[in-house]
Every structure is written in C-alpha cells, then in structure tokens.
Amino acid sequence: METLITLVQIGIGAALINNFVLYYFVGICPFLGVSRRIDMAFGMGCAVTFVISIAAALSWTFTYFILRPGAPLPAWVWETVGGTSGNVDLSVLSYIMYIFVIAGSVQFVEMYVRKFFPALYKSFGVFLPLITTNCAILFACLEIMKHLQDPTRLWGLHEALTLAVGGGLGFTLAIVLMAGIREELDMCDVPKPLRGPGIALIVAGIMAMAFMGFAGVDRGIEAALSTLLK
Amino acid sequence: MLNTVTMLLAAGVLGLLAVVVACVLGWANRTFHVKVDPKVLAILEALPGANCGGCGFVGCGEYAEAVAAGGTDVTLCAPGGQSCAGQLAEIMGVAVEQTFPYRAVVHCAARTDQRLGRTDYLGEPTCVAANLVAGVQGCTYGCLGLGDCVAACPYDAIHIVDGLATVDYDKCVGCKACARACPRNIITMVPFKAERMLVVACSNKDFGPQVKAVCEVGCIGCKACSKHAEAMKMEGHLSVIDYDAYESEDQFAKALEKCPRESMIFVGKPRPEHLAAVAAEELPERIEADFKTTVDDTEWRG
C-alpha cells in the first residue's frame, strides 16, 4: 500500500503539481515551437512521453548499476584490483552518459519504427529527432539520479518509470492546452507588438500561474488514499 | 590508487559504451534500411520545394510519392509551372501536354465606394469573422476587403486596394492559398491562355434590381453577353466564361461592347498599346517599400 501511495504521489507530482513545463520551465522549445495546432501538439506530447520513458528506464539502469556512489560494478572492479577502503564514484559521468544513451536509443527506435511501422513513422517520426536530447528528458534523468544518491532510500525502476510517464503526460497536457489556446488566438486581434512569441510567452506564464493552484494537492491525495486503503 | 581506478573505470565505461552503441546502431542501420525509390528522390529534386499544397497533397514529399507511384498527373505543381512538369514527365517517362499557368482571379470589381448598403463593422478585422455577421455590406457575394487572402498568400501577390482584393500578376504563381482562404469563395483559378484574360469580375447570382440595390458595377444577369459570345453562359443570373472554349479575347469583343455594367474586365499584363494610350496621363507614383525603415513583420517560427 505504501508503494502504491508513493507511486500515485510521484505520478501526480510530475504530471500536475511540478509540471515539467509549467513549474520547472524545461522543454520550452517544443512547447513553443510545436504548439500551433492541436494534432501536432498531441503528436509531440506522445513522442515526448515515449522517449522520456525509454530514457528513464535506461538511465535508471545505468545509474543504479554503474554511476551512483556505491554501485555494484565499480565496487566489484575496486575489490578485484585489491582496494579495501573507499568507494569508486562515477557520478561525474552522468550527464555525458545520459545524453549518449538517450541519443543512441532514440536513433535506434527511429530506425526500427521507420522499418516496421511506416504509418506511425509518418505521424510522429518527424518529432523524434527534435527531442532526442531535449532538456525535459535530460531533466527527468537527472531527477531520477537525484533519488539514487542516498543508499538508504533508493528509487526502484517502477518509481523512475512512474516519474517519467507522469512527466510525459504532464507535458502532453500542457502542450495540448497551449495549442488549443493558440488556435483560438489566431482568430483574435492581438496588438501588433505582442504577436507571435510575445503573446505565446504571456499565455505560458498565465498557464504556469494557473498550475500553481495544484500545489498541496499531493497531501490531500495521500490522506484520501490512506483512509481509502485502510 | 582510488583516483587512478576511478579515471580508468570512467574511460573504460565510456569507451565500451561507445563501441557497443556504435555496433548496435551500425547493425540497425543495415538491417532496418528502408529502400527509397530513386524516382521519388529525383522528383523531389525537380519540385520547387515550396510545400505550398497547391497540388492538393500535404507537401512536395507527398506529391513526389504520389507521382512516383503512378496515376497522378505530373502537371499539378503550379509554382514549378511548365518546366517542372516537363522534368517530372521525363523522370516518369510520360508525355506532357501543353499546360497553361493557373492564376488567381478575384470575382468582384467593386471598390469600397461602389458597394452599397455598407455598415460600420468594428469586429475582428478578418473576412472569416465579418462573413458571420449579417449586414456588413449589401452584397452578400462580394469581397469584404479585410484581407484574409493577403495574409494567406505566401508570395506577397495579393493586396487590398481601395477595399478590394487585387492580384499582382507579376508575383502570383497560382498556389490557390488565397482561394482557400476566402470565406466567400470569390477567388477562383483561371487558366491564363494569354498575357491578359477576360474575366467576369462579379459573383452575385441575384437578378438585376437586387444587384443594382447593393452594387454599382456588378453583373445584373441581363444575358446580353451570352447572346453575343458562345463561350459565355449563364449560371443563375450570373454570366460566366467557359475557359475551355476561350481562344482569344477577340471572340468576346461584341459581348464586351453590349455589357451595360462594368463587370467584365481584363486581368493580367496590359498590352503595349494600352500602356502607350495612358502614357500621357498622370499616374500616381508607385511607392516602393523602404526596407531600411520597414519593420520585418514576417511571422516568427520557433
């Protein structure tokens, strides 16, 4: 039960309360660039959710087994060469490793989809190269890394994946809402100096303020779930 | 000792990862290779790449695939014109008939002061919005003059002059963007068989008195032209020109003479003798844009 509540909290937290785009302001480039039409925005959101999940799974694996302080692989090497005191810490490699792994896996997935699912490739294949090393995705990896530092409270793969999927869904929600507003804006008489990026950024700011209303929702959900599951 | 091992391990991990990823991607590239028809690439090369959608496909890529698959006409690309159609025909190994460039024609000739029954319209300054409001102007067929077509044109070839959308035929490439944007559907594509073409610049399908009540120049449906020119026929109370039967403007001389209104006009490039005839008259100077002081208002794309 504890686990379920934690997972729900992580998921809701990543999707709504600490929305990647509207709370942390990462992933702004696709958020502004591809939010002109709802269908395109939805495609982009799906692509981000997909890539972020793959990236989270891979980066969790690498961090857990190789990069974190006290990881099994460096410890084994250290013992093999005869070291006794002290730990090998490879967390300095995290950034380069994440970028490398994400870019490689997205490239692989793109080729695979192009070969075996041409229709799918046509509808969202174009977005994949755009987001390979997008900051929202790197941010999810770093967030996962943050929770793999303390050996007494390590995140499992399920927690990492929940964060990633929640974050991806939150991104989709934000970009689709934004696209809906911008489609309506096309019909409006926006003052000339504000047209284009100006009004888009103002809209994004107001949306961010609206999303601040979700702050504190997690505690309520926790209370409700714990009484419900008792 | 600890530092040395850390450094060696870091280098080893990255090196190993690089080798593994390179191998996997190299293998994937070969195994998942998708064969692209060389014809598609050649056609894509020959197309202008404007992605204007004038051919009816989503972009140049889709059109290239459709042509390469066969069964699609090679002459659909308006910006590419005759030379592009020729290249496509060569690639596909088919013969190409002579095609005429299609150009946009606005079927309305009324300037603001010639349109009657106008009211002040203070809503959204777009034709789409104004078209929803009853009584903006008397004529429910005519140009609203708020410039949706101007905004839609990617070639800067249509402008609002005295409240009427006017095509600049030096710039128009016939991509149909304006025709799609117009909420009243008064812009159509006409095959330009000559430098200048005769068109009926009116879309009003009502009969005489109703037209006269709302417009000073519109077609009243008197049938005078269709009696004197075979290539003209009546659609309701509006005369239209059958461009399949259009050979030259001379066949319409009689009809033009009989027309009691000013709804048949020539569009396109004027002939030299007409230019000479008005050379003595004082014409307003053409104002060229000063790019040093004009703010670039092209849309920002992120």
Side-chain angles (χ1 to χ4, degrees):
Chain A
M1 284 311 104
E2 277 290 293
T3 333
L4 185 64
I5 293 176
T6 324
L7 287 186
V8 170
Q9 265 187 317
I10 292 174
I12 301 268
L16 295 177
I17 305 160
N18 299 337
N19 189 294
F20 283 14
V21 179
L22 298 173
Y23 184 82
Y24 288 113
F25 290 101
V26 291
I28 292 290
C29 16
F31 180 66
L32 291 180
V34 199
S35 60
R36 286 175 168 275
R37 280 169 41 203
I38 290 182
D39 51 342
M40 297 279 276
F42 187 70
M44 187 70 182
C46 291
V48 166
T49 312
F50 179 67
V51 172
I52 218 169
S53 310
I54 293 182
L58 283 172
S59 68
W60 181 87
T61 315
F62 278 95
T63 317
Y64 191 87
F65 290 107
I66 302 173
L67 298 181
R68 75 186 164 95
L73 179 81
W76 175 76
V77 172
W78 179 233
E79 272 165 33
T80 316
V81 296
T84 43
S85 63
N87 248 329
V88 186
D89 182 7
L90 289 181
S91 26
V92 67
L93 287 182
S94 52
Y95 280 77
I96 190 168
M97 197 90 154
Y98 294 156
I99 294 286
F100 201 78
V101 166
I102 299 167
S105 60
V106 170
Q107 192 67 45
F108 183 83
V109 168
E110 195 197 340
M111 286 190 226
Y112 184 82
V113 170
R114 190 172 179 191
K115 173 82 179 175
F116 293 107
F117 307 99
L120 190 66
Y121 178 77
K122 253 192 181 163
S123 57
F124 91 27
V126 287
F127 299 119
L128 286 178
L130 289 178
I131 50 172
T132 21
T133 49
N134 182 272
C135 46
I137 289 151
L138 185 63
F139 175 80
C141 294
L142 292 174
E143 196 70 10
I144 290 164
M145 185 188 83
K146 216 165 74 185
H147 289 279
L148 286 170
Q149 298 296 313
D150 177 11
T152 55
R153 260 208 87 262
L154 288 180
W155 265 17
L157 182 58
H158 54 295
E159 281 156 323
L161 274 178
T162 312
L163 176 94
V165 174
L169 291 180
F171 180 87
T172 312
L173 177 72
I175 197 171
V176 169
L177 288 179
M178 181 73 171
I181 295 173
R182 285 183 82 176
E183 276 191 359
E184 295 294 315
L185 271 180
D186 282 349
M187 294 285 177
C188 292
D189 185 21
V190 178
K192 201 148 198 193
L194 291 182
R195 276 182 201 167
I199 195 73
L201 285 170
I202 291 173
V203 167
I206 296 172
M207 280 174 73
M209 279 196 276
F211 265 66
M212 280 165 77
F214 284 116
V217 169
D218 51 344
R219 257 166 285 145
I221 289 174
E222 190 190 358
L225 275 181
S226 49
T227 45
L228 196 73
L229 297 172
K230 215 169 255 175
Chain B
M1 175 70 172
L2 185 64
N3 284 341
T4 325
V5 170
T6 309
M7 279 199 298
L8 284 178
L9 206 54
V13 166
L14 273 190
L16 194 70
L17 195 68
V19 171
V20 169
V21 171
C23 286
V24 169
L25 284 184
W27 168 79
N29 195 19
R30 198 166 299 172
T31 319
F32 300 153
H33 186 66
V34 179
K35 259 196 188 164
V36 179
D37 192 348
K39 269 184 190 168
V40 175
L41 294 178
I43 292 171
L44 213 50
E45 195 78 1
L47 289 170
N51 285 318
C52 64
C55 50
F57 292 89
V58 174
C60 294
E62 291 248 313
Y63 179 52
E65 274 174 29
V67 170
T72 311
D73 205 351
V74 293
T75 57
L76 296 182
C77 183
Q82 187 75 36
S83 68
C84 175
Q87 282 179 40
L88 260 53
E90 201 175 302
I91 294 165
M92 292 302 296
V94 295
V96 59
E97 293 170 14
Q98 205 208 344
T99 57
F100 298 104
Y102 276 75
R103 296 289 179 258
V105 167
V106 181
H107 291 276
C108 181
R111 313 271 165 198
T112 313
D113 48 352
Q114 290 164 328
R115 290 184 215 141
L116 309 174
R118 280 176 67 83
T119 41
D120 276 342
Y121 171 72
L122 299 172
E124 296 291 344
T126 64
C127 304
V128 178
N131 195 33
L132 300 173
V133 182
V136 172
Q137 67 185 24
C139 181
T140 52
Y141 300 91
C143 178
L144 288 159
L146 293 168
D148 283 14
C149 46
V150 180
C153 180
Y155 298 94
D156 190 33
I158 189 162
H159 299 281
I160 301 295
V161 180
D162 292 339
L164 176 67
T166 310
V167 180
D168 179 348
Y169 289 97
D170 287 335
K171 291 182 181 167
C172 181
V173 300
C175 73
K176 296 185 197 161
C178 51
R180 278 196 298 264
C182 180
R184 294 196 152 178
N185 297 317
I186 61 169
I187 303 179
T188 62
M189 308 309 292
V190 167
F192 268 50
K193 297 184 173 177
E195 283 282 276
R196 65 172 201 164
M197 294 289 290
L198 186 71
V199 299
V200 178
C202 183
S203 306
N204 197 321
K205 294 193 175 66
D206 294 339
F207 192 55
Q210 288 105 306
V211 179
K212 278 185 177 166
V214 296
C215 186
E216 289 181 3
V217 292
C219 171
I220 50 171
C222 66
K223 302 196 179 83
C225 52
S226 57
K227 277 177 205 146
H228 291 96
E230 293 208 348
M232 301 201 68
K233 57 181 189 293
M234 303 302 295
E235 263 180 23
H237 295 296
L238 177 68
S239 56
V240 290
I241 296 174
D242 177 8
Y243 287 100
D244 289 335
Y246 190 109
E247 304 268 309
S248 81
E249 59 186 61
D250 301 332
Q251 73 194 90
F252 298 97
K254 194 83 183 291
L256 202 55
E257 200 178 292
K258 293 286 176 191
C259 180
R261 306 281 278 180
E262 297 166 33
S263 44
M264 288 169 76
I265 59 169
F266 287 104
V267 296
K269 289 195 183 114
R271 287 185 170 176
E273 65 258 31
H274 297 118
L275 282 177
V278 295
E281 290 176 32
E282 209 166 293
L283 293 172
E285 266 182 63
R286 194 190 163 104
I287 300 166
E288 295 290 339
D290 178 4
F291 288 107
K292 273 180 230 151
T293 56
T294 312
V295 177
D296 180 18
D297 63 354
T298 49
E299 256 187 287
W300 178 83
R301 287 170 210 282

